[in-house]
Amino acid sequence: EAGVAQSPRYKIIEKRQSVAFWCNPISGHATLYWYQQILGQGPKLLIQFQNNGVVDDSQLPKDRFSAERLKGVDSTLKIQPAKLEDSAVYLCASSPFANTDTQYFGPGTRLTVL
Amino acid sequence: AQSVSQHNHHVILSEAASLELGCNYSYGGTVNLFWYVQYPGQHLQLLLKYFSGDPLVKGIKGFEAEFIKSKFSFNLRKPSVQWSDTAEYFCAVKGYSSASKIIFGSGTRLSIRP
């Protein structure tokens, strides 16, 4: 079974630039999550989708971050404009159902904002 | 507010030593508890989980964890570690309702000396 795919794996940008990350979840998984993991911290949930609807985006900084999952499959996370404190690993995860136990994580995208 | 504390940031052990990683959580209600592991260069993956029933939970690779409700703890144990257990370990808590989000601890880095 193919895992969660993410791209790019690494990205370096200047502050105030824009950046987008892509995630392809495991086939058939209805729930998709985006996490931000700052160095030395655990993953923090940014947004959770159930199919193409948003379940929880309470920790998403909506003034600069946006995410979509238009057809209930792939998802993109965008930052515009980026700040230095956005430097982190952005993880995508998926699970078969909304309240299931196991989330399957992708390799992450390491973002460096200079 | 929900929170998870992992007090050991970095643990160094020799092979065959016993391991116990601490995890304490704060949550006002029924919880689901998890330990995730990230081996060097690999994705985050589930090690074990507790939902209900026997508070002693067994996971992969000889790991186990004990849920002690009165102490709000879910410590991870292994009687004899191997060099291949070198990884970062994350404890996580999620409320029982489908509306609850998963909260991760800051992680414990485990280094095993061969």
Side-chain angles (χ1 to χ4, degrees), chain A residues 4 35 37 40-43 45 56 58-59 91 99-103 105-107, chain B residues 34 36 38 43-44 46 49 51 90 94-99 101-102 104-106:
Chain A
V4 176
Y35 290 88
Q37 186 175 16
Q41 299 181 19
L45 180 69
D56 187 334
S58 57
Q59 299 189 111
L91 296 167
N99 199 31
T100 192
D101 47 5
T102 304
Q103 296 183 23
F105 284 83
Chain B
F34 310 85
Y36 277 83
Q38 187 166 26
H43 310 176
L44 263 173
L46 184 69
K49 64 194 179 200
F51 269 34
F90 294 92
K94 182 182 181 301
Y96 200 67
S97 77
S98 58
K101 65 173 74 66
I102 190 168
F104 284 86
S106 56

PDB file of all heavy atoms in Angstrom, chain A residues 4 35 37 40-43 45 56 58-59 91 99-103 105-107, chain B residues 34 36 38 43-44 46 49 51 90 94-99 101-102 104-106:
ATOM      1  N   VAL A   4       1.519   8.058   2.483  1.00  0.00           N
ATOM      2  CA  VAL A   4       1.182   9.462   2.261  1.00  0.00           C
ATOM      3  C   VAL A   4       2.362  10.124   1.551  1.00  0.00           C
ATOM      4  O   VAL A   4       3.507  10.006   2.007  1.00  0.00           O
ATOM      5  CB  VAL A   4       0.899  10.174   3.601  1.00  0.00           C
ATOM      6  CG1 VAL A   4       0.651  11.648   3.375  1.00  0.00           C
ATOM      7  CG2 VAL A   4      -0.285   9.516   4.310  1.00  0.00           C
ATOM      8  N   TYR A  35      -0.079  19.225   9.898  1.00  0.00           N
ATOM      9  CA  TYR A  35       0.566  19.568  11.164  1.00  0.00           C
ATOM     10  C   TYR A  35       1.774  20.465  10.894  1.00  0.00           C
ATOM     11  O   TYR A  35       2.426  20.362   9.857  1.00  0.00           O
ATOM     12  CB  TYR A  35       1.080  18.319  11.885  1.00  0.00           C
ATOM     13  CG  TYR A  35       0.012  17.408  12.442  1.00  0.00           C
ATOM     14  CD1 TYR A  35      -0.547  16.400  11.663  1.00  0.00           C
ATOM     15  CD2 TYR A  35      -0.414  17.532  13.755  1.00  0.00           C
ATOM     16  CE1 TYR A  35      -1.513  15.550  12.188  1.00  0.00           C
ATOM     17  CE2 TYR A  35      -1.374  16.685  14.286  1.00  0.00           C
ATOM     18  CZ  TYR A  35      -1.916  15.695  13.491  1.00  0.00           C
ATOM     19  OH  TYR A  35      -2.866  14.849  14.012  1.00  0.00           O
ATOM     20  N   GLN A  37       5.414  21.190  12.722  1.00  0.00           N
ATOM     21  CA  GLN A  37       6.325  20.736  13.764  1.00  0.00           C
ATOM     22  C   GLN A  37       7.555  21.632  13.795  1.00  0.00           C
ATOM     23  O   GLN A  37       8.430  21.530  12.930  1.00  0.00           O
ATOM     24  CB  GLN A  37       6.738  19.282  13.558  1.00  0.00           C
ATOM     25  CG  GLN A  37       7.572  18.724  14.710  1.00  0.00           C
ATOM     26  CD  GLN A  37       7.883  17.254  14.566  1.00  0.00           C
ATOM     27  OE1 GLN A  37       7.744  16.675  13.503  1.00  0.00           O
ATOM     28  NE2 GLN A  37       8.315  16.630  15.669  1.00  0.00           N
ATOM     29  N   GLY A  40      12.221  20.870  18.024  1.00  0.00           N
ATOM     30  CA  GLY A  40      12.180  20.703  19.477  1.00  0.00           C
ATOM     31  C   GLY A  40      10.781  20.584  20.054  1.00  0.00           C
ATOM     32  O   GLY A  40      10.624  20.470  21.275  1.00  0.00           O
ATOM     33  N   GLN A  41       9.770  20.590  19.182  1.00  0.00           N
ATOM     34  CA  GLN A  41       8.382  20.487  19.648  1.00  0.00           C
ATOM     35  C   GLN A  41       7.697  19.317  18.956  1.00  0.00           C
ATOM     36  O   GLN A  41       8.164  18.786  17.953  1.00  0.00           O
ATOM     37  CB  GLN A  41       7.626  21.787  19.361  1.00  0.00           C
ATOM     38  CG  GLN A  41       8.212  23.003  20.043  1.00  0.00           C
ATOM     39  CD  GLN A  41       7.420  24.263  19.739  1.00  0.00           C
ATOM     40  OE1 GLN A  41       6.263  24.204  19.323  1.00  0.00           O
ATOM     41  NE2 GLN A  41       8.036  25.410  19.960  1.00  0.00           N
ATOM     42  N   GLY A  42       6.556  18.933  19.507  1.00  0.00           N
ATOM     43  CA  GLY A  42       5.759  17.911  18.858  1.00  0.00           C
ATOM     44  C   GLY A  42       4.906  18.528  17.759  1.00  0.00           C
ATOM     45  O   GLY A  42       4.771  19.748  17.662  1.00  0.00           O
ATOM     46  N   PRO A  43       4.338  17.692  16.896  1.00  0.00           N
ATOM     47  CA  PRO A  43       3.468  18.209  15.844  1.00  0.00           C
ATOM     48  C   PRO A  43       2.251  18.940  16.417  1.00  0.00           C
ATOM     49  O   PRO A  43       1.680  18.505  17.417  1.00  0.00           O
ATOM     50  CB  PRO A  43       3.033  16.937  15.100  1.00  0.00           C
ATOM     51  CG  PRO A  43       4.067  15.917  15.421  1.00  0.00           C
ATOM     52  CD  PRO A  43       4.513  16.234  16.812  1.00  0.00           C
ATOM     53  N   LEU A  45      -1.521  20.362  15.293  1.00  0.00           N
ATOM     54  CA  LEU A  45      -2.521  20.294  14.241  1.00  0.00           C
ATOM     55  C   LEU A  45      -2.870  21.683  13.739  1.00  0.00           C
ATOM     56  O   LEU A  45      -3.213  22.569  14.508  1.00  0.00           O
ATOM     57  CB  LEU A  45      -3.786  19.600  14.758  1.00  0.00           C
ATOM     58  CG  LEU A  45      -4.913  19.456  13.741  1.00  0.00           C
ATOM     59  CD1 LEU A  45      -4.527  18.465  12.645  1.00  0.00           C
ATOM     60  CD2 LEU A  45      -6.206  19.017  14.407  1.00  0.00           C
ATOM     61  N   ASP A  56     -11.728  20.950  11.562  1.00  0.00           N
ATOM     62  CA  ASP A  56     -11.095  21.753  12.613  1.00  0.00           C
ATOM     63  C   ASP A  56      -9.979  22.567  12.003  1.00  0.00           C
ATOM     64  O   ASP A  56      -9.069  22.015  11.400  1.00  0.00           O
ATOM     65  CB  ASP A  56     -10.539  20.841  13.718  1.00  0.00           C
ATOM     66  CG  ASP A  56     -10.019  21.597  14.939  1.00  0.00           C
ATOM     67  OD1 ASP A  56      -9.627  22.763  14.802  1.00  0.00           O
ATOM     68  OD2 ASP A  56     -10.004  21.015  16.038  1.00  0.00           O
ATOM     69  N   SER A  58      -8.985  25.438  13.990  1.00  0.00           N
ATOM     70  CA  SER A  58      -8.896  26.406  15.088  1.00  0.00           C
ATOM     71  C   SER A  58      -7.471  26.891  15.348  1.00  0.00           C
ATOM     72  O   SER A  58      -7.265  27.951  15.922  1.00  0.00           O
ATOM     73  CB  SER A  58      -9.480  25.806  16.371  1.00  0.00           C
ATOM     74  OG  SER A  58      -8.816  24.603  16.708  1.00  0.00           O
ATOM     75  N   GLN A  59      -6.469  26.096  14.922  1.00  0.00           N
ATOM     76  CA  GLN A  59      -5.080  26.497  15.175  1.00  0.00           C
ATOM     77  C   GLN A  59      -4.376  26.946  13.900  1.00  0.00           C
ATOM     78  O   GLN A  59      -3.158  27.080  13.878  1.00  0.00           O
ATOM     79  CB  GLN A  59      -4.322  25.346  15.851  1.00  0.00           C
ATOM     80  CG  GLN A  59      -4.921  24.959  17.198  1.00  0.00           C
ATOM     81  CD  GLN A  59      -4.072  23.986  17.974  1.00  0.00           C
ATOM     82  OE1 GLN A  59      -3.498  24.322  19.010  1.00  0.00           O
ATOM     83  NE2 GLN A  59      -3.992  22.756  17.504  1.00  0.00           N
ATOM     84  N   LEU A  91       3.837  18.489   8.236  1.00  0.00           N
ATOM     85  CA  LEU A  91       3.495  17.075   8.098  1.00  0.00           C
ATOM     86  C   LEU A  91       2.056  16.933   7.633  1.00  0.00           C
ATOM     87  O   LEU A  91       1.168  17.633   8.105  1.00  0.00           O
ATOM     88  CB  LEU A  91       3.632  16.362   9.445  1.00  0.00           C
ATOM     89  CG  LEU A  91       5.028  16.302  10.055  1.00  0.00           C
ATOM     90  CD1 LEU A  91       4.958  15.851  11.501  1.00  0.00           C
ATOM     91  CD2 LEU A  91       5.904  15.342   9.259  1.00  0.00           C
ATOM     92  N   ASN A  99     -12.699   9.660  13.440  1.00  0.00           N
ATOM     93  CA  ASN A  99     -12.344   9.435  14.841  1.00  0.00           C
ATOM     94  C   ASN A  99     -11.595   8.128  15.001  1.00  0.00           C
ATOM     95  O   ASN A  99     -11.719   7.431  15.987  1.00  0.00           O
ATOM     96  CB  ASN A  99     -13.587   9.424  15.721  1.00  0.00           C
ATOM     97  CG  ASN A  99     -13.230   9.655  17.187  1.00  0.00           C
ATOM     98  OD1 ASN A  99     -12.258  10.349  17.496  1.00  0.00           O
ATOM     99  ND2 ASN A  99     -13.987   9.062  18.084  1.00  0.00           N
ATOM    100  N   THR A 100     -10.778   7.811  14.003  1.00  0.00           N
ATOM    101  CA  THR A 100     -10.049   6.557  14.064  1.00  0.00           C
ATOM    102  C   THR A 100      -8.797   6.714  14.899  1.00  0.00           C
ATOM    103  O   THR A 100      -8.393   7.820  15.249  1.00  0.00           O
ATOM    104  CB  THR A 100      -9.697   6.081  12.650  1.00  0.00           C
ATOM    105  OG1 THR A 100      -9.250   4.738  12.712  1.00  0.00           O
ATOM    106  CG2 THR A 100      -8.608   6.942  12.047  1.00  0.00           C
ATOM    107  N   ASP A 101      -8.186   5.615  15.203  1.00  0.00           N
ATOM    108  CA  ASP A 101      -7.060   5.663  16.110  1.00  0.00           C
ATOM    109  C   ASP A 101      -5.749   6.004  15.428  1.00  0.00           C
ATOM    110  O   ASP A 101      -4.970   6.804  15.937  1.00  0.00           O
ATOM    111  CB  ASP A 101      -6.932   4.325  16.842  1.00  0.00           C
ATOM    112  CG  ASP A 101      -7.029   3.143  15.871  1.00  0.00           C
ATOM    113  OD1 ASP A 101      -7.099   3.354  14.655  1.00  0.00           O
ATOM    114  OD2 ASP A 101      -7.049   2.001  16.359  1.00  0.00           O
ATOM    115  N   THR A 102      -5.494   5.427  14.297  1.00  0.00           N
ATOM    116  CA  THR A 102      -4.169   5.544  13.698  1.00  0.00           C
ATOM    117  C   THR A 102      -4.134   6.564  12.579  1.00  0.00           C
ATOM    118  O   THR A 102      -4.941   6.508  11.651  1.00  0.00           O
ATOM    119  CB  THR A 102      -3.720   4.182  13.156  1.00  0.00           C
ATOM    120  OG1 THR A 102      -3.765   3.228  14.213  1.00  0.00           O
ATOM    121  CG2 THR A 102      -2.299   4.275  12.611  1.00  0.00           C
ATOM    122  N   GLN A 103      -3.196   7.469  12.680  1.00  0.00           N
ATOM    123  CA  GLN A 103      -2.928   8.392  11.583  1.00  0.00           C
ATOM    124  C   GLN A 103      -1.643   7.946  10.891  1.00  0.00           C
ATOM    125  O   GLN A 103      -0.682   7.565  11.558  1.00  0.00           O
ATOM    126  CB  GLN A 103      -2.766   9.818  12.109  1.00  0.00           C
ATOM    127  CG  GLN A 103      -4.035  10.367  12.739  1.00  0.00           C
ATOM    128  CD  GLN A 103      -3.886  11.804  13.195  1.00  0.00           C
ATOM    129  OE1 GLN A 103      -3.033  12.536  12.695  1.00  0.00           O
ATOM    130  NE2 GLN A 103      -4.719  12.223  14.122  1.00  0.00           N
ATOM    131  N   PHE A 105       1.434   9.078   8.651  1.00  0.00           N
ATOM    132  CA  PHE A 105       2.129  10.320   8.360  1.00  0.00           C
ATOM    133  C   PHE A 105       2.972  10.217   7.098  1.00  0.00           C
ATOM    134  O   PHE A 105       3.539   9.168   6.786  1.00  0.00           O
ATOM    135  CB  PHE A 105       3.031  10.709   9.527  1.00  0.00           C
ATOM    136  CG  PHE A 105       2.289  11.277  10.695  1.00  0.00           C
ATOM    137  CD1 PHE A 105       1.700  10.445  11.633  1.00  0.00           C
ATOM    138  CD2 PHE A 105       2.158  12.652  10.848  1.00  0.00           C
ATOM    139  CE1 PHE A 105       1.002  10.967  12.713  1.00  0.00           C
ATOM    140  CE2 PHE A 105       1.469  13.183  11.934  1.00  0.00           C
ATOM    141  CZ  PHE A 105       0.886  12.342  12.861  1.00  0.00           C
ATOM    142  N   GLY A 106       3.073  11.342   6.416  1.00  0.00           N
ATOM    143  CA  GLY A 106       3.998  11.459   5.294  1.00  0.00           C
ATOM    144  C   GLY A 106       5.375  11.866   5.786  1.00  0.00           C
ATOM    145  O   GLY A 106       5.588  12.057   6.976  1.00  0.00           O
ATOM    146  N   PRO A 107       6.320  12.029   4.849  1.00  0.00           N
ATOM    147  CA  PRO A 107       7.693  12.352   5.231  1.00  0.00           C
ATOM    148  C   PRO A 107       7.886  13.792   5.669  1.00  0.00           C
ATOM    149  O   PRO A 107       8.884  14.124   6.289  1.00  0.00           O
ATOM    150  CB  PRO A 107       8.480  12.076   3.950  1.00  0.00           C
ATOM    151  CG  PRO A 107       7.499  12.281   2.861  1.00  0.00           C
ATOM    152  CD  PRO A 107       6.176  11.830   3.405  1.00  0.00           C
TER     153      PRO A 107
ATOM    154  N   PHE B  34      -1.717   7.713  23.007  1.00  0.00           N
ATOM    155  CA  PHE B  34      -0.886   7.146  21.949  1.00  0.00           C
ATOM    156  C   PHE B  34       0.589   7.380  22.248  1.00  0.00           C
ATOM    157  O   PHE B  34       0.964   8.348  22.894  1.00  0.00           O
ATOM    158  CB  PHE B  34      -1.177   7.826  20.594  1.00  0.00           C
ATOM    159  CG  PHE B  34      -2.629   7.906  20.233  1.00  0.00           C
ATOM    160  CD1 PHE B  34      -3.417   8.946  20.693  1.00  0.00           C
ATOM    161  CD2 PHE B  34      -3.205   6.951  19.397  1.00  0.00           C
ATOM    162  CE1 PHE B  34      -4.756   9.036  20.358  1.00  0.00           C
ATOM    163  CE2 PHE B  34      -4.547   7.039  19.062  1.00  0.00           C
ATOM    164  CZ  PHE B  34      -5.315   8.079  19.544  1.00  0.00           C
ATOM    165  N   TYR B  36       3.784   7.588  19.546  1.00  0.00           N
ATOM    166  CA  TYR B  36       4.275   7.538  18.180  1.00  0.00           C
ATOM    167  C   TYR B  36       5.802   7.541  18.236  1.00  0.00           C
ATOM    168  O   TYR B  36       6.409   8.097  19.157  1.00  0.00           O
ATOM    169  CB  TYR B  36       3.797   8.742  17.368  1.00  0.00           C
ATOM    170  CG  TYR B  36       2.407   8.609  16.804  1.00  0.00           C
ATOM    171  CD1 TYR B  36       1.283   8.905  17.578  1.00  0.00           C
ATOM    172  CD2 TYR B  36       2.199   8.185  15.484  1.00  0.00           C
ATOM    173  CE1 TYR B  36       0.018   8.784  17.058  1.00  0.00           C
ATOM    174  CE2 TYR B  36       0.924   8.063  14.962  1.00  0.00           C
ATOM    175  CZ  TYR B  36      -0.162   8.362  15.757  1.00  0.00           C
ATOM    176  OH  TYR B  36      -1.425   8.228  15.245  1.00  0.00           O
ATOM    177  N   GLN B  38       9.470   8.075  15.775  1.00  0.00           N
ATOM    178  CA  GLN B  38      10.069   8.491  14.502  1.00  0.00           C
ATOM    179  C   GLN B  38      11.516   8.033  14.495  1.00  0.00           C
ATOM    180  O   GLN B  38      12.372   8.607  15.202  1.00  0.00           O
ATOM    181  CB  GLN B  38       9.994  10.000  14.320  1.00  0.00           C
ATOM    182  CG  GLN B  38      10.448  10.455  12.948  1.00  0.00           C
ATOM    183  CD  GLN B  38      10.057  11.891  12.665  1.00  0.00           C
ATOM    184  OE1 GLN B  38       9.892  12.697  13.576  1.00  0.00           O
ATOM    185  NE2 GLN B  38       9.907  12.211  11.401  1.00  0.00           N
ATOM    186  N   HIS B  43       9.230   8.164   8.694  1.00  0.00           N
ATOM    187  CA  HIS B  43       8.030   8.900   9.058  1.00  0.00           C
ATOM    188  C   HIS B  43       7.623   8.598  10.496  1.00  0.00           C
ATOM    189  O   HIS B  43       8.009   7.571  11.063  1.00  0.00           O
ATOM    190  CB  HIS B  43       6.852   8.473   8.167  1.00  0.00           C
ATOM    191  CG  HIS B  43       7.145   8.481   6.715  1.00  0.00           C
ATOM    192  ND1 HIS B  43       6.242   8.048   5.765  1.00  0.00           N
ATOM    193  CD2 HIS B  43       8.229   8.869   6.013  1.00  0.00           C
ATOM    194  CE1 HIS B  43       6.769   8.179   4.573  1.00  0.00           C
ATOM    195  NE2 HIS B  43       7.972   8.659   4.684  1.00  0.00           N
ATOM    196  N   LEU B  44       6.829   9.481  11.050  1.00  0.00           N
ATOM    197  CA  LEU B  44       6.171   9.192  12.319  1.00  0.00           C
ATOM    198  C   LEU B  44       5.277   7.973  12.146  1.00  0.00           C
ATOM    199  O   LEU B  44       4.546   7.878  11.169  1.00  0.00           O
ATOM    200  CB  LEU B  44       5.280  10.360  12.740  1.00  0.00           C
ATOM    201  CG  LEU B  44       5.824  11.379  13.721  1.00  0.00           C
ATOM    202  CD1 LEU B  44       4.848  12.531  13.848  1.00  0.00           C
ATOM    203  CD2 LEU B  44       6.077  10.759  15.072  1.00  0.00           C
ATOM    204  N   LEU B  46       2.771   4.888  14.428  1.00  0.00           N
ATOM    205  CA  LEU B  46       2.159   4.518  15.694  1.00  0.00           C
ATOM    206  C   LEU B  46       2.914   3.363  16.335  1.00  0.00           C
ATOM    207  O   LEU B  46       3.191   2.353  15.697  1.00  0.00           O
ATOM    208  CB  LEU B  46       0.698   4.113  15.463  1.00  0.00           C
ATOM    209  CG  LEU B  46      -0.107   3.793  16.722  1.00  0.00           C
ATOM    210  CD1 LEU B  46      -0.345   5.060  17.532  1.00  0.00           C
ATOM    211  CD2 LEU B  46      -1.442   3.155  16.345  1.00  0.00           C
ATOM    212  N   LYS B  49      -1.315   2.206  21.383  1.00  0.00           N
ATOM    213  CA  LYS B  49      -2.421   3.100  21.697  1.00  0.00           C
ATOM    214  C   LYS B  49      -3.263   2.497  22.821  1.00  0.00           C
ATOM    215  O   LYS B  49      -3.295   1.279  23.001  1.00  0.00           O
ATOM    216  CB  LYS B  49      -3.298   3.289  20.466  1.00  0.00           C
ATOM    217  CG  LYS B  49      -3.966   1.994  20.006  1.00  0.00           C
ATOM    218  CD  LYS B  49      -4.556   2.108  18.632  1.00  0.00           C
ATOM    219  CE  LYS B  49      -5.187   0.761  18.243  1.00  0.00           C
ATOM    220  NZ  LYS B  49      -5.365   0.591  16.811  1.00  0.00           N
ATOM    221  N   PHE B  51      -7.267   2.821  24.248  1.00  0.00           N
ATOM    222  CA  PHE B  51      -8.610   3.380  24.096  1.00  0.00           C
ATOM    223  C   PHE B  51      -9.460   3.047  25.310  1.00  0.00           C
ATOM    224  O   PHE B  51     -10.148   3.900  25.837  1.00  0.00           O
ATOM    225  CB  PHE B  51      -9.272   2.852  22.814  1.00  0.00           C
ATOM    226  CG  PHE B  51      -9.024   3.709  21.615  1.00  0.00           C
ATOM    227  CD1 PHE B  51      -7.816   4.390  21.459  1.00  0.00           C
ATOM    228  CD2 PHE B  51      -9.966   3.859  20.623  1.00  0.00           C
ATOM    229  CE1 PHE B  51      -7.565   5.193  20.371  1.00  0.00           C
ATOM    230  CE2 PHE B  51      -9.731   4.662  19.524  1.00  0.00           C
ATOM    231  CZ  PHE B  51      -8.539   5.329  19.394  1.00  0.00           C
ATOM    232  N   PHE B  90       7.073  10.249  20.765  1.00  0.00           N
ATOM    233  CA  PHE B  90       6.087  11.263  21.065  1.00  0.00           C
ATOM    234  C   PHE B  90       4.872  10.626  21.735  1.00  0.00           C
ATOM    235  O   PHE B  90       4.294   9.672  21.205  1.00  0.00           O
ATOM    236  CB  PHE B  90       5.622  11.976  19.791  1.00  0.00           C
ATOM    237  CG  PHE B  90       6.676  12.794  19.122  1.00  0.00           C
ATOM    238  CD1 PHE B  90       7.472  12.247  18.130  1.00  0.00           C
ATOM    239  CD2 PHE B  90       6.873  14.121  19.475  1.00  0.00           C
ATOM    240  CE1 PHE B  90       8.450  12.991  17.503  1.00  0.00           C
ATOM    241  CE2 PHE B  90       7.852  14.886  18.849  1.00  0.00           C
ATOM    242  CZ  PHE B  90       8.641  14.320  17.864  1.00  0.00           C
ATOM    243  N   LYS B  94      -5.867  12.371  22.969  1.00  0.00           N
ATOM    244  CA  LYS B  94      -7.015  12.859  22.203  1.00  0.00           C
ATOM    245  C   LYS B  94      -8.265  12.599  23.035  1.00  0.00           C
ATOM    246  O   LYS B  94      -8.423  11.518  23.598  1.00  0.00           O
ATOM    247  CB  LYS B  94      -7.107  12.127  20.863  1.00  0.00           C
ATOM    248  CG  LYS B  94      -8.244  12.598  19.979  1.00  0.00           C
ATOM    249  CD  LYS B  94      -8.293  11.795  18.687  1.00  0.00           C
ATOM    250  CE  LYS B  94      -9.410  12.261  17.764  1.00  0.00           C
ATOM    251  NZ  LYS B  94     -10.739  12.166  18.375  1.00  0.00           N
ATOM    252  N   GLY B  95      -9.130  13.583  23.124  1.00  0.00           N
ATOM    253  CA  GLY B  95     -10.391  13.394  23.815  1.00  0.00           C
ATOM    254  C   GLY B  95     -11.245  12.375  23.100  1.00  0.00           C
ATOM    255  O   GLY B  95     -11.049  12.092  21.913  1.00  0.00           O
ATOM    256  N   TYR B  96     -12.192  11.830  23.827  1.00  0.00           N
ATOM    257  CA  TYR B  96     -12.975  10.726  23.288  1.00  0.00           C
ATOM    258  C   TYR B  96     -13.927  11.168  22.177  1.00  0.00           C
ATOM    259  O   TYR B  96     -14.267  10.380  21.299  1.00  0.00           O
ATOM    260  CB  TYR B  96     -13.771  10.077  24.424  1.00  0.00           C
ATOM    261  CG  TYR B  96     -14.227   8.682  24.117  1.00  0.00           C
ATOM    262  CD1 TYR B  96     -13.303   7.653  23.983  1.00  0.00           C
ATOM    263  CD2 TYR B  96     -15.566   8.385  23.950  1.00  0.00           C
ATOM    264  CE1 TYR B  96     -13.706   6.373  23.692  1.00  0.00           C
ATOM    265  CE2 TYR B  96     -15.986   7.096  23.668  1.00  0.00           C
ATOM    266  CZ  TYR B  96     -15.042   6.096  23.538  1.00  0.00           C
ATOM    267  OH  TYR B  96     -15.450   4.820  23.253  1.00  0.00           O
ATOM    268  N   SER B  97     -14.362  12.419  22.170  1.00  0.00           N
ATOM    269  CA  SER B  97     -15.338  12.836  21.169  1.00  0.00           C
ATOM    270  C   SER B  97     -14.658  13.026  19.821  1.00  0.00           C
ATOM    271  O   SER B  97     -13.466  13.299  19.724  1.00  0.00           O
ATOM    272  CB  SER B  97     -16.012  14.141  21.586  1.00  0.00           C
ATOM    273  OG  SER B  97     -15.142  15.231  21.361  1.00  0.00           O
ATOM    274  N   SER B  98     -15.465  12.894  18.771  1.00  0.00           N
ATOM    275  CA  SER B  98     -14.922  13.044  17.414  1.00  0.00           C
ATOM    276  C   SER B  98     -14.489  14.479  17.156  1.00  0.00           C
ATOM    277  O   SER B  98     -13.682  14.738  16.266  1.00  0.00           O
ATOM    278  CB  SER B  98     -15.971  12.620  16.380  1.00  0.00           C
ATOM    279  OG  SER B  98     -17.145  13.396  16.526  1.00  0.00           O
ATOM    280  N   ALA B  99     -14.989  15.425  17.957  1.00  0.00           N
ATOM    281  CA  ALA B  99     -14.614  16.822  17.754  1.00  0.00           C
ATOM    282  C   ALA B  99     -13.275  17.165  18.384  1.00  0.00           C
ATOM    283  O   ALA B  99     -12.743  18.241  18.157  1.00  0.00           O
ATOM    284  CB  ALA B  99     -15.697  17.727  18.340  1.00  0.00           C
ATOM    285  N   LYS B 101      -9.272  17.224  19.098  1.00  0.00           N
ATOM    286  CA  LYS B 101      -8.076  17.086  18.280  1.00  0.00           C
ATOM    287  C   LYS B 101      -6.979  16.398  19.081  1.00  0.00           C
ATOM    288  O   LYS B 101      -6.960  16.446  20.304  1.00  0.00           O
ATOM    289  CB  LYS B 101      -7.586  18.450  17.785  1.00  0.00           C
ATOM    290  CG  LYS B 101      -7.115  19.378  18.888  1.00  0.00           C
ATOM    291  CD  LYS B 101      -6.478  20.651  18.333  1.00  0.00           C
ATOM    292  CE  LYS B 101      -7.490  21.609  17.772  1.00  0.00           C
ATOM    293  NZ  LYS B 101      -8.394  22.178  18.765  1.00  0.00           N
ATOM    294  N   ILE B 102      -6.050  15.775  18.375  1.00  0.00           N
ATOM    295  CA  ILE B 102      -4.932  15.100  19.030  1.00  0.00           C
ATOM    296  C   ILE B 102      -3.872  16.131  19.410  1.00  0.00           C
ATOM    297  O   ILE B 102      -3.582  17.055  18.646  1.00  0.00           O
ATOM    298  CB  ILE B 102      -4.360  13.989  18.117  1.00  0.00           C
ATOM    299  CG1 ILE B 102      -3.364  13.111  18.874  1.00  0.00           C
ATOM    300  CG2 ILE B 102      -3.742  14.567  16.874  1.00  0.00           C
ATOM    301  CD1 ILE B 102      -2.988  11.831  18.113  1.00  0.00           C
ATOM    302  N   PHE B 104       0.074  16.483  20.789  1.00  0.00           N
ATOM    303  CA  PHE B 104       1.338  15.774  20.958  1.00  0.00           C
ATOM    304  C   PHE B 104       2.195  16.434  22.026  1.00  0.00           C
ATOM    305  O   PHE B 104       2.177  17.657  22.190  1.00  0.00           O
ATOM    306  CB  PHE B 104       2.132  15.777  19.643  1.00  0.00           C
ATOM    307  CG  PHE B 104       1.613  14.823  18.608  1.00  0.00           C
ATOM    308  CD1 PHE B 104       0.595  15.191  17.752  1.00  0.00           C
ATOM    309  CD2 PHE B 104       2.163  13.555  18.479  1.00  0.00           C
ATOM    310  CE1 PHE B 104       0.111  14.314  16.789  1.00  0.00           C
ATOM    311  CE2 PHE B 104       1.704  12.669  17.524  1.00  0.00           C
ATOM    312  CZ  PHE B 104       0.671  13.053  16.675  1.00  0.00           C
ATOM    313  N   GLY B 105       2.978  15.621  22.726  1.00  0.00           N
ATOM    314  CA  GLY B 105       4.021  16.139  23.588  1.00  0.00           C
ATOM    315  C   GLY B 105       5.205  16.609  22.764  1.00  0.00           C
ATOM    316  O   GLY B 105       5.221  16.453  21.533  1.00  0.00           O
ATOM    317  N   SER B 106       6.196  17.163  23.427  1.00  0.00           N
ATOM    318  CA  SER B 106       7.345  17.732  22.710  1.00  0.00           C
ATOM    319  C   SER B 106       8.363  16.675  22.293  1.00  0.00           C
ATOM    320  O   SER B 106       9.318  16.981  21.590  1.00  0.00           O
ATOM    321  CB  SER B 106       8.030  18.793  23.559  1.00  0.00           C
ATOM    322  OG  SER B 106       8.400  18.242  24.805  1.00  0.00           O
TER     323      SER B 106
END
